[in-house]
C-alpha cells in the first residue's frame, strides 16, 4: 500500500467541495455554507462507503481503506471520518502523516 500524498488528498477535497458548491447552486440553495456542507457530507459518505472513494478521490486515483486490512471501512467509520473532515480535522496530522480524521476512523488514503 502506497499512501497518497498530502497534495493529492487536498486536491481531491477541493474537487469534492467545488462539485458540491455547483450542485447546491444548481439545486437553488445558493452559496449557503450549510447546504454545501450537507451535500458534501452525503456525497463523501455515500461514495466512500460504496466505492472507497469520493468523486474527487476517484478522479485523482486514490481511495480510502481500513488501515490494518486494506479493505472497506464499515459505515460507522465512514460517517465518523466524513464528520471529522467537515470539522476541518484533516489539517491536523499524526507523526505518520495520516490526517487525524483517518487516525480516528482507523483508515488510510492510498493510491489506487
Amino acid at each position: 500500500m502506497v499512501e497518497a500524498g498530502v497534495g493529492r488528498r487536498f486536491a481531491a477535497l477541493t474537487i469534492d467541495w467545488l462539485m458540491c458548491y455547483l450542485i447546491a447552486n444548481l439545486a437553488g440553495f445558493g452559496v449557503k455554507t450549510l447546504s454545501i456542507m450537507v451535500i458534501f457530507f452525503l456525497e463523501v459518505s455515500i461514495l466512500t462507503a460504496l466505492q472507497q472513494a469520493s468523486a474527487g478521490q476517484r478522479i485523482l486515483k486514490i481511495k480510502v481503506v481500513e488501515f490494518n486490512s486494506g479493505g472497506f471501512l464499515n459505515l460507522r467509520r465512514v460517517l465518523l471520518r466524513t464528520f471529522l473532515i467537515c470539522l476541518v480535522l484533516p489539517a491536523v496530522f499524526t507523526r505518520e502523516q495520516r490526517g487525524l480524521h483517518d487516525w480516528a476512523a482507523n483508515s488510510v488514503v492510498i493510491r489506487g
Side-chain angles (χ1 to χ4, degrees):
M1 279 191 314
V2 178
E3 288 190 41
V6 174
R8 188 173 283 216
R9 290 184 285 180
F10 180 75
L13 181 68
T14 302
I15 290 169
D16 284 326
W17 187 260
L18 290 173
M19 290 171 66
C20 293
Y21 179 89
L22 180 64
I23 291 167
N25 276 323
L26 291 174
F29 295 119
V31 291
K32 296 178 183 164
T33 305
L34 182 59
S35 59
I36 297 168
M37 184 70 71
V38 169
I39 294 167
F40 176 85
F41 181 84
L42 292 172
E43 181 256 332
V44 172
S45 296
I46 291 168
L47 293 179
T48 302
L50 295 176
Q51 31 183 26
Q52 293 182 304
S54 67
Q57 290 169 333
R58 299 252 324 155
I59 291 168
L60 295 175
K61 299 184 184 342
I62 58 178
K63 63 183 180 177
V64 180
V65 297
E66 202 272 332
F67 182 71
N68 298 321
S69 70
F72 276 81
L73 291 179
N74 65 39
L75 183 58
R76 183 179 59 85
R77 289 183 187 209
V78 169
L79 294 173
L80 172 64
R81 181 181 185 279
T82 307
F83 177 73
L84 294 175
I85 289 171
C86 290
L87 294 179
V88 194
L89 276 177
V92 180
F93 289 92
T94 65
R95 281 183 284 215
E96 301 86 28
Q97 294 303 306
R98 285 171 57 206
L100 193 56
H101 63 293
D102 281 319
W103 178 82
N106 197 35
S107 62
V108 64
V109 180
I110 62 169
R111 290 186 185 182

